[in-house]
Amino acid sequence: MTQTPPQTPHRVIADRMKDLRKKRGWSAAHLAKEMKQVGIGWDRSIVANLELGRRATVTVEELFALAYVLSVAPVHLMVPPVDDDADTRITVVEGWDVPPGTARDWIRGEMPFGTADHRRFFAEVPPDEAREPYSTPVAGGLVDGER
C-alpha cells in the first residue's frame, strides 16, 4: 500500500471548502458573493485559484468567514472528516504530520502534542472550559489514547 503524502493546512482548507461548496450546490461565484457579503473581497477566480492550488494561502479572517458562510466550525475546514484508520496525515508544522483526530484535538485545545509543555498548554484554558486532557503528551508522540 502506498502512503499518501501529508496534506498541508491550506490544501485541506481548499479541499474542504470545495466539498462543502458543492454539497450546498453553490458555484464558485456564489461562494465569492457570500464572502463579499461578510466583508471578504473574493471573486470567482479567487475561489477557483484556491481550489486548484494556484493560491496557497488563506488568512485567518478568510478562514473564519468561510466557516461562517458555510455554516461549519473552523475546525471542520482545517481538518478533513476522515477516520484515523485512514492513511491521512496533516502537516501542522514542518516535521509534525499527525492523524486528523490528533489535529482536531489540538485545534480544539483538548490535547498538546509534540514537545509542548502540557502545563503551559492547559494554563491558557479559561477555568470554565477546563477538562481532563485526552492523552498525555510525550516527546515525539502520544501515550494513552493516541489517535
Side-chain angles (χ1 to χ4, degrees):
M1 180 155 112
T2 310
Q3 179 145 354
T4 306
Q7 295 181 308
T8 59
H10 76 274
R11 185 73 259 149
V12 173
I13 292 168
D15 290 347
R16 292 292 298 135
M17 177 187 78
K18 183 177 183 178
D19 291 345
L20 292 165
R21 176 180 67 74
K22 287 185 170 191
K23 256 188 203 177
R24 283 149 181 74
W26 292 0
S27 66
H30 182 84
L31 177 58
K33 178 183 164 202
E34 294 289 327
M35 292 292 281
K36 270 192 181 153
Q37 289 178 343
V38 295
I40 303 296
W42 279 16
D43 60 24
R44 185 208 55 79
S45 67
I46 290 174
V47 174
N49 285 336
L50 186 58
E51 290 179 356
L52 295 171
R54 292 187 296 240
R55 183 178 193 233
T57 61
V58 176
T59 67
V60 173
E61 290 81 2
E62 290 168 335
L63 173 69
F64 285 176
L66 277 169
Y68 178 81
V69 302
L70 292 168
S71 298
V72 298
V75 67
H76 300 303
L77 285 171
M78 298 183 330
V79 182
V82 296
D83 293 334
D84 285 338
D85 295 337
D87 193 27
T88 301
R89 310 264 310 163
I90 311 298
T91 300
V92 176
V93 295
E94 188 68 34
W96 289 97
D97 303 327
V98 299
T102 301
R104 277 189 212 91
D105 287 346
W106 177 67
I107 291 167
R108 290 178 176 140
E110 295 173 356
M111 176 185 69
F113 64 85
T115 59
D117 176 334
H118 72 280
R119 288 173 299 201
R120 187 175 295 163
F121 183 87
F122 288 112
E124 296 304 315
V125 177
D128 63 328
E129 294 179 20
R131 296 190 287 260
E132 285 293 314
Y134 176 79
S135 298
T136 304
V138 296
L142 303 171
V143 296
D144 305 333
E146 179 175 64
R147 292 171 139 207

PDB file of all heavy atoms in Angstrom, residues 7 20 32 37 53 57 80 89 97 109 123 126 131:
ATOM      1  N   GLN A   7      -1.135  16.200   4.045  1.00  0.00           N
ATOM      2  CA  GLN A   7      -1.786  17.361   3.455  1.00  0.00           C
ATOM      3  C   GLN A   7      -1.364  18.620   4.199  1.00  0.00           C
ATOM      4  O   GLN A   7      -1.304  18.630   5.425  1.00  0.00           O
ATOM      5  CB  GLN A   7      -3.303  17.210   3.518  1.00  0.00           C
ATOM      6  CG  GLN A   7      -3.830  16.072   2.693  1.00  0.00           C
ATOM      7  CD  GLN A   7      -5.341  15.988   2.777  1.00  0.00           C
ATOM      8  OE1 GLN A   7      -5.912  15.952   3.851  1.00  0.00           O
ATOM      9  NE2 GLN A   7      -5.982  15.966   1.628  1.00  0.00           N
ATOM     10  N   LEU A  20     -17.636  21.355   0.680  1.00  0.00           N
ATOM     11  CA  LEU A  20     -18.809  21.965   1.308  1.00  0.00           C
ATOM     12  C   LEU A  20     -19.577  22.853   0.326  1.00  0.00           C
ATOM     13  O   LEU A  20     -20.811  22.878   0.337  1.00  0.00           O
ATOM     14  CB  LEU A  20     -18.392  22.747   2.553  1.00  0.00           C
ATOM     15  CG  LEU A  20     -17.891  21.871   3.700  1.00  0.00           C
ATOM     16  CD1 LEU A  20     -17.151  22.708   4.734  1.00  0.00           C
ATOM     17  CD2 LEU A  20     -19.033  21.097   4.338  1.00  0.00           C
ATOM     18  N   ALA A  32     -18.142  33.221  -3.632  1.00  0.00           N
ATOM     19  CA  ALA A  32     -17.476  34.534  -3.613  1.00  0.00           C
ATOM     20  C   ALA A  32     -18.456  35.631  -3.205  1.00  0.00           C
ATOM     21  O   ALA A  32     -18.113  36.518  -2.413  1.00  0.00           O
ATOM     22  CB  ALA A  32     -16.878  34.831  -4.981  1.00  0.00           C
ATOM     23  N   GLN A  37     -20.337  39.447   1.057  1.00  0.00           N
ATOM     24  CA  GLN A  37     -21.378  39.949   1.962  1.00  0.00           C
ATOM     25  C   GLN A  37     -20.907  39.997   3.413  1.00  0.00           C
ATOM     26  O   GLN A  37     -21.505  40.706   4.223  1.00  0.00           O
ATOM     27  CB  GLN A  37     -22.645  39.105   1.837  1.00  0.00           C
ATOM     28  CG  GLN A  37     -23.361  39.333   0.529  1.00  0.00           C
ATOM     29  CD  GLN A  37     -24.603  38.465   0.373  1.00  0.00           C
ATOM     30  OE1 GLN A  37     -24.801  37.473   1.069  1.00  0.00           O
ATOM     31  NE2 GLN A  37     -25.450  38.846  -0.568  1.00  0.00           N
ATOM     32  N   GLY A  53      -5.218  25.098  -6.306  1.00  0.00           N
ATOM     33  CA  GLY A  53      -3.864  25.132  -5.771  1.00  0.00           C
ATOM     34  C   GLY A  53      -2.991  26.248  -6.299  1.00  0.00           C
ATOM     35  O   GLY A  53      -1.804  26.297  -6.018  1.00  0.00           O
ATOM     36  N   THR A  57      -2.535  30.391   0.121  1.00  0.00           N
ATOM     37  CA  THR A  57      -2.721  30.976   1.442  1.00  0.00           C
ATOM     38  C   THR A  57      -4.198  31.244   1.707  1.00  0.00           C
ATOM     39  O   THR A  57      -4.974  31.494   0.776  1.00  0.00           O
ATOM     40  CB  THR A  57      -1.967  32.308   1.605  1.00  0.00           C
ATOM     41  OG1 THR A  57      -2.465  33.238   0.642  1.00  0.00           O
ATOM     42  CG2 THR A  57      -0.470  32.131   1.444  1.00  0.00           C
ATOM     43  N   PRO A  80      -9.748  17.309   7.539  1.00  0.00           N
ATOM     44  CA  PRO A  80     -10.711  16.522   6.763  1.00  0.00           C
ATOM     45  C   PRO A  80     -11.482  15.551   7.657  1.00  0.00           C
ATOM     46  O   PRO A  80     -10.960  15.084   8.667  1.00  0.00           O
ATOM     47  CB  PRO A  80      -9.840  15.759   5.761  1.00  0.00           C
ATOM     48  CG  PRO A  80      -8.489  15.720   6.361  1.00  0.00           C
ATOM     49  CD  PRO A  80      -8.367  16.939   7.235  1.00  0.00           C
ATOM     50  N   ARG A  89      -2.728  12.131   6.836  1.00  0.00           N
ATOM     51  CA  ARG A  89      -1.955  12.865   7.841  1.00  0.00           C
ATOM     52  C   ARG A  89      -2.006  14.332   7.458  1.00  0.00           C
ATOM     53  O   ARG A  89      -2.089  14.686   6.299  1.00  0.00           O
ATOM     54  CB  ARG A  89      -0.496  12.396   7.872  1.00  0.00           C
ATOM     55  CG  ARG A  89      -0.320  10.911   7.953  1.00  0.00           C
ATOM     56  CD  ARG A  89      -0.104  10.236   9.220  1.00  0.00           C
ATOM     57  NE  ARG A  89       0.908  10.719  10.124  1.00  0.00           N
ATOM     58  CZ  ARG A  89       0.902  10.351  11.390  1.00  0.00           C
ATOM     59  NH1 ARG A  89      -0.027   9.554  11.843  1.00  0.00           N
ATOM     60  NH2 ARG A  89       1.835  10.767  12.208  1.00  0.00           N
ATOM     61  N   ASP A  97       3.619  15.653  11.195  1.00  0.00           N
ATOM     62  CA  ASP A  97       2.483  15.173  10.420  1.00  0.00           C
ATOM     63  C   ASP A  97       1.668  14.282  11.344  1.00  0.00           C
ATOM     64  O   ASP A  97       2.185  13.301  11.875  1.00  0.00           O
ATOM     65  CB  ASP A  97       2.941  14.377   9.210  1.00  0.00           C
ATOM     66  CG  ASP A  97       3.874  15.166   8.311  1.00  0.00           C
ATOM     67  OD1 ASP A  97       3.712  16.389   8.219  1.00  0.00           O
ATOM     68  OD2 ASP A  97       4.759  14.551   7.718  1.00  0.00           O
ATOM     69  N   GLY A 109      -8.026  22.572  21.488  1.00  0.00           N
ATOM     70  CA  GLY A 109      -7.399  22.869  22.772  1.00  0.00           C
ATOM     71  C   GLY A 109      -7.536  21.744  23.775  1.00  0.00           C
ATOM     72  O   GLY A 109      -7.382  21.955  24.977  1.00  0.00           O
ATOM     73  N   ALA A 123      -2.564  25.926  30.758  1.00  0.00           N
ATOM     74  CA  ALA A 123      -2.636  27.122  31.600  1.00  0.00           C
ATOM     75  C   ALA A 123      -3.471  28.225  30.950  1.00  0.00           C
ATOM     76  O   ALA A 123      -4.014  29.082  31.643  1.00  0.00           O
ATOM     77  CB  ALA A 123      -1.228  27.645  31.908  1.00  0.00           C
ATOM     78  N   PRO A 126      -9.475  28.848  29.783  1.00  0.00           N
ATOM     79  CA  PRO A 126     -10.298  29.518  30.794  1.00  0.00           C
ATOM     80  C   PRO A 126     -10.848  28.487  31.782  1.00  0.00           C
ATOM     81  O   PRO A 126     -11.223  27.384  31.391  1.00  0.00           O
ATOM     82  CB  PRO A 126     -11.433  30.155  29.982  1.00  0.00           C
ATOM     83  CG  PRO A 126     -10.884  30.266  28.591  1.00  0.00           C
ATOM     84  CD  PRO A 126      -9.955  29.104  28.424  1.00  0.00           C
ATOM     85  N   ARG A 131     -11.095  20.835  31.167  1.00  0.00           N
ATOM     86  CA  ARG A 131     -11.497  19.426  31.181  1.00  0.00           C
ATOM     87  C   ARG A 131     -10.246  18.593  31.348  1.00  0.00           C
ATOM     88  O   ARG A 131      -9.133  19.060  31.157  1.00  0.00           O
ATOM     89  CB  ARG A 131     -12.151  19.043  29.857  1.00  0.00           C
ATOM     90  CG  ARG A 131     -13.432  19.743  29.559  1.00  0.00           C
ATOM     91  CD  ARG A 131     -14.107  19.105  28.359  1.00  0.00           C
ATOM     92  NE  ARG A 131     -13.436  19.414  27.111  1.00  0.00           N
ATOM     93  CZ  ARG A 131     -13.822  20.339  26.258  1.00  0.00           C
ATOM     94  NH1 ARG A 131     -14.860  21.064  26.526  1.00  0.00           N
ATOM     95  NH2 ARG A 131     -13.180  20.539  25.140  1.00  0.00           N
TER      96      ARG A 131
END
